Amino acid sequence: MNIRSLLAMLPALALPFCALATDERVTYTCDNASRIYISFSVDSSGRPQAMLHFADGDVVLPRVPSGSGALYRADPIRLHTKGDDAIFEDGKGNLRRCSRGNVAPVPPASQSPSDAPQASSSFIDIAGNVRYLARIALPSNAILKIRIQSGQRTLADQRYELNGAQVPIPFSATVDRDLMGKKAGATVSARIEASGKLLFASPKPVPAIRNGQPVPVDIVLKPAGRADAR
């Protein structure tokens, strides 16, 4: 390849890096008169992400599965966008409804701002503990894997490097209720591995929803030879 050909290729080679470096900050104006500034990009592995720009620093939220629109989450902060609208949850019990641009969302004409309903979120937290009854300590390189499903649909796959932690092991995950079948609800299964070998697994998925609401999940694992590894 000659020098001229190489020089001609340089702009194309540099394009992905420039796109990430020059992502435009989008202004969202919220119903409490505040503004948030967001840029959208992908990380080094190609996973979409949103970056919230605050005066004291930036917060990166990876994108996670959502029933509609796009959901970005880094606990306890969540951002749900759909078209020009966004719902921002700051993890402190505050929820803002925002719109792209300099104009805040306006409630319907039949309502005054004080009567406007709070923006609702379809995201729910599923949490619990994983344990087993055998008196065996886990190796330091053990890994806990959690899978939350609704019917055949996987809502969340999580991986925890335990670094010497022992049972009971807590877990939590945020899922989108809109992804659940109306009657399927959600179930949780778990497994513990080390060095690529399965050590313990849940014999069957454990229900995580009761009467439409999440309930604490207690998963009792069985040794690998006695469990139906999922």
Side-chain angles (χ1 to χ4, degrees), residues 1-229:
M1 180 181 295
N2 57 38
I3 295 296
R4 180 174 297 179
S5 298
L6 180 59
L7 291 174
M9 291 177 60
L10 285 179
L13 293 173
L15 181 59
F17 301 97
C18 295
L20 290 176
T22 60
D23 281 340
E24 178 184 359
R25 295 189 183 189
V26 180
T27 301
Y28 284 82
T29 303
C30 304
D31 50 10
N32 65 347
S34 67
R35 291 181 180 177
I36 55 176
Y37 303 92
I38 310 171
S39 59
F40 299 93
S41 62
V42 296
D43 62 17
S44 58
S45 64
R47 181 181 183 182
Q49 62 183 14
M51 180 177 291
L52 306 181
H53 302 278
F54 299 109
D56 55 352
D58 300 333
V59 177
V60 176
L61 309 179
R63 185 169 176 174
V64 298
S66 173
S68 62
L71 170 62
Y72 304 87
R73 174 174 59 83
D75 283 337
I77 300 175
R78 303 173 196 168
L79 174 72
H80 186 201
T81 64
K82 188 173 183 180
D84 289 335
D85 299 323
I87 294 176
F88 173 62
E89 301 175 73
D90 64 4
K92 301 178 182 178
N94 300 314
L95 188 149
R96 308 178 201 173
R97 184 166 52 186
C98 312
S99 289
R100 186 192 299 257
N102 295 317
V103 180
V106 178
S110 60
Q111 295 177 329
S112 67
S114 60
D115 294 331
Q118 293 295 319
S120 60
S121 173
S122 66
F123 310 118
I124 58 175
D125 294 320
I126 292 178
N129 290 287
V130 173
R131 59 190 176 92
Y132 54 80
L133 303 180
R135 295 185 177 181
I136 303 173
L138 293 173
S140 59
N141 64 337
I143 296 171
L144 170 64
K145 294 183 178 180
I146 297 291
R147 174 170 292 178
I148 302 176
Q149 293 181 288
S150 179
Q152 298 300 313
R153 171 176 286 176
T154 297
L155 304 179
D157 263 323
Q158 293 194 329
R159 169 191 172 104
Y160 300 84
E161 294 185 4
L162 301 183
N163 297 316
Q166 302 295 321
V167 295
I169 304 166
F171 72 90
S172 64
T174 300
V175 299
D176 189 345
R177 190 192 298 272
D178 290 343
L179 289 175
M180 299 180 189
K182 293 183 178 180
K183 297 182 179 180
T187 59
V188 186
S189 57
R191 54 195 291 148
I192 296 178
E193 303 174 357
S195 301
K197 179 181 179 181
L198 179 64
L199 303 180
F200 295 92
S202 48
K204 60 181 180 180
V206 178
I209 301 293
R210 182 180 302 155
N211 297 325
Q213 298 300 321
V215 295
V217 179
D218 182 35
I219 302 178
V220 181
L221 305 181
K222 299 293 185 182
R226 297 166 52 190
D228 177 16

